[in-house]
Structures are given as C-alpha cells and as structure tokens.
Amino acid sequence: MDAALAPGSAFVSVYILGSTTMIDRQIIVPDGMRLLFEQAGYAPAVKVGKTLYCAGQVGRTPELSVIEDPEQQFLAAWENLRFVLEAGGCEFEDVVELTTYHVDMHRHMPIFRRVKDEVFPRGTCAWTCIGIGELARPGLLVEIKCVAVER
C-alpha cells in the first residue's frame, strides 16, 4: 500500500492508509520515532476514529539505545508513550486501557510503580501488568502499551 505523508505540525508526521476503506486508519509516527518506524517496520500508533492504539513503548533513546538504569529506563518509556499519545491527539488522561510487560517484575516493580505514580494519573484506566522472560532487546525491563480515546 502506498503511504502518503499528510501535512501537519512539525511534531508529528501522520501517514494515511487506505482512504477508500470503510474505516480510515491513520498511522502515527512522531518525528522523534521515524528511525524506529523505518528500522523496525511498525507504527508507534494507529488511530481509528477517536481511538488511538499505541504499540508498546520502551526505555530507549531516539537513537534506539537501551537505557541501563531502571528508573531512567522507566521514565523514558513513559515519555516515549507520552510522545506517541500527543502525536495522536491524546494525553495520559485519555488512556482507557494500559498493559505493561515486565522483565524481572518483582525486583523492579517498586521503582516502576513510583515512576508511574509520578507521571501517570492513578486509577483512571484498566491496567494489566504481566511478568515476562524477555523483551525485544537485551536490557529492556518494561514495555508499556495502551489504548486511548480522544475526548
């Protein structure tokens, strides 16, 4: 399918796919995630109507390097999610479903919860927390994905 770059703000590039489909989908790629989009071949988010489906975000730099310090990695994962939400016209308060995947969950959960409580509003969405053996790159400790509905 041919993707056409839609004009927009300097912050986000939006790719529109299949404008003749019954439900239009917008592929959301914040400018700071273009390298990820090009190298990994998936969209950070897809917007259908007012619903934004965000792919899992991890604690990495824009150059795709894993951040080693757990607290800084968790902060970066939340910040990356914030960038994706904003690019799709949403914010943390619009999240209706949150799923987090954790490597070594019991060891890092106290730090993760503290960071989450500092940056994300408490008790505003359904949250599923899953412990796993590994993520896509060595050293990643958490991946955060969500669904948001634009108000």
Side-chain angles (χ1 to χ4, degrees):
M1 231 180 214
D2 243 3
L5 181 61
S9 69
F11 181 75
V12 63
S13 299
V14 178
Y15 294 86
I16 311 285
L17 296 180
S19 60
T20 60
T21 61
M22 185 163 38
I23 298 176
D24 289 340
R25 297 185 317 162
Q26 294 179 327
I27 304 303
I28 307 298
V29 182
D31 285 338
M33 294 185 177
R34 184 170 301 280
L35 180 62
L36 175 68
F37 177 71
E38 291 168 357
Q39 287 188 1
Y42 71 91
V46 176
K47 190 169 189 178
V48 179
K50 290 186 170 215
T51 303
L52 185 65
Y53 301 89
C54 297
Q57 298 301 310
V58 297
R60 51 136 185 91
T61 67
E63 296 78 28
L64 307 182
S65 297
V66 174
I67 297 169
E68 292 185 29
D69 177 70
E71 183 172 2
Q72 293 305 308
Q73 187 181 132
F74 300 154
L75 283 166
W78 285 108
E79 196 59 26
N80 287 332
L81 182 60
R82 181 191 318 271
F83 289 149
V84 173
L85 286 165
E86 288 176 356
C90 293
E91 52 192 36
F92 284 153
E93 289 78 10
D94 297 322
V95 172
V96 295
E97 181 182 31
L98 181 71
T99 305
T100 56
Y101 302 90
H102 301 262
V103 174
D104 205 1
M105 182 165 60
H106 294 290
R107 179 175 168 205
H108 296 113
M109 185 53 71
I111 299 167
F112 180 81
R113 281 186 182 269
R114 188 176 72 243
V115 170
K116 177 184 175 290
D117 288 347
E118 289 173 10
V119 299
F120 192 83
R122 290 178 58 116
T124 58
C125 67
W127 177 27
T128 301
C129 184
I130 302 167
I132 58 170
E134 64 182 337
L135 288 164
R137 296 196 51 199
L140 287 173
L141 301 174
V142 73
E143 186 163 333
I144 307 168
K145 68 176 278 186
C146 71
V147 176
V149 178
E150 183 180 7
R151 289 180 274 165

